[in-house]
Amino acid sequence: MNLLLLAVAPVFTIIIYIYFQDKYEKEPKGLLLLGFALGAILSIIIVTLLYLFTDKLIPLTDEYSIWQQFVQAFFVVALAEEFSKYIIVKYFAQPRKAFNEPYDGIIYAVMVSMGFACTENIMYVLQGGYTTAFLRAFTAVPAHATFGILMGYYMGKAKFSNNRFALNMAGLFLAVLFHGAYDFFLFIGFIPGISIGAFVSLIIAVILSRKAIKRHQNSSYFKT
């Protein structure tokens, strides 16, 4: 039970933080919970199916190949996981009437991302124990949140733009870019010291995420 609580605690801490950053027009809690549930269940199913396909299409035959690990990080893991979240935000959240200001892109994308992160974190923590729980609370879980914020920033802009496709793709691209960079530096951990690149990419993503939140707060249609 303690491990389970440690696994979900960082997820809900981030959700509460992002929820209260929505200062001017809160989203229906039911829709947010549904977005979380879809991320926790549906996105995992989508990712699993994509992994079954990509494992055969792009097999990892040499774990010490930098190129193969690059492909695994960006095109197998990051693209599959972020695409699974993108699909849910695009077809579940973006068409909703409640999605009525740019910040909503961030909060719905984060809810879906945290649903995914919650399921993933429970699996890793129950297997790896307290050390894994502690490490992931400050790395993988916040990373998934930043990927969601960066994706949601552009998907929030897209909802109210005539250039919706390009902005949606920009959100997906940015999430994949930072997710892929984060994973890539971890995957090539056989190079001494290179893993620090994952933390550098995470710090950059956090800085950009904070700026994205502030920009959408300042551009809220409900700001008085």
Side-chain angles (χ1 to χ4, degrees), residues 6 50 61 69 97 128 134 224:
L6 286 173
L50 289 174
T61 58
Q69 293 292 6
K97 289 184 179 180
F134 179 79
T224 57

Side-chain angles (χ1 to χ4, degrees), residues 115-169:
F116 179 93
C118 187
T119 301
E120 182 185 66
N121 212 41
I122 289 171
M123 291 189 294
Y124 276 107
V125 169
L126 291 181
Q127 183 179 20
Y130 290 98
T131 301
T132 299
F134 179 79
L135 289 174
R136 289 182 60 83
F138 295 97
T139 55
V141 176
H144 276 293
T146 62
F147 308 149
I149 291 169
L150 296 174
M151 179 191 291
Y153 173 78
Y154 282 97
M155 295 190 77
K157 290 170 68 72
K159 173 69 182 275
F160 308 97
S161 170
N162 293 326
N163 201 13
R164 181 176 293 190
F165 177 78
L167 287 169
N168 278 336
M169 289 296 100

Side-chain angles (χ1 to χ4, degrees), residues 58-76 184 187-188:
I58 316 173
L60 177 62
T61 58
D62 181 4
E63 63 182 84
Y64 294 105
S65 166
I66 293 176
W67 170 247
Q68 286 193 29
Q69 293 292 6
F70 176 87
V71 172
Q72 288 289 314
F74 284 90
F75 297 100
V76 176
F184 175 62
F187 288 178
I188 58 172

Side-chain angles (χ1 to χ4, degrees), residues 183-201:
D183 282 352
F184 175 62
F185 286 113
L186 294 178
F187 288 178
I188 58 172
F190 51 82
I191 300 176
I194 199 70
S195 297
I196 192 68
F199 299 100
V200 172
S201 69

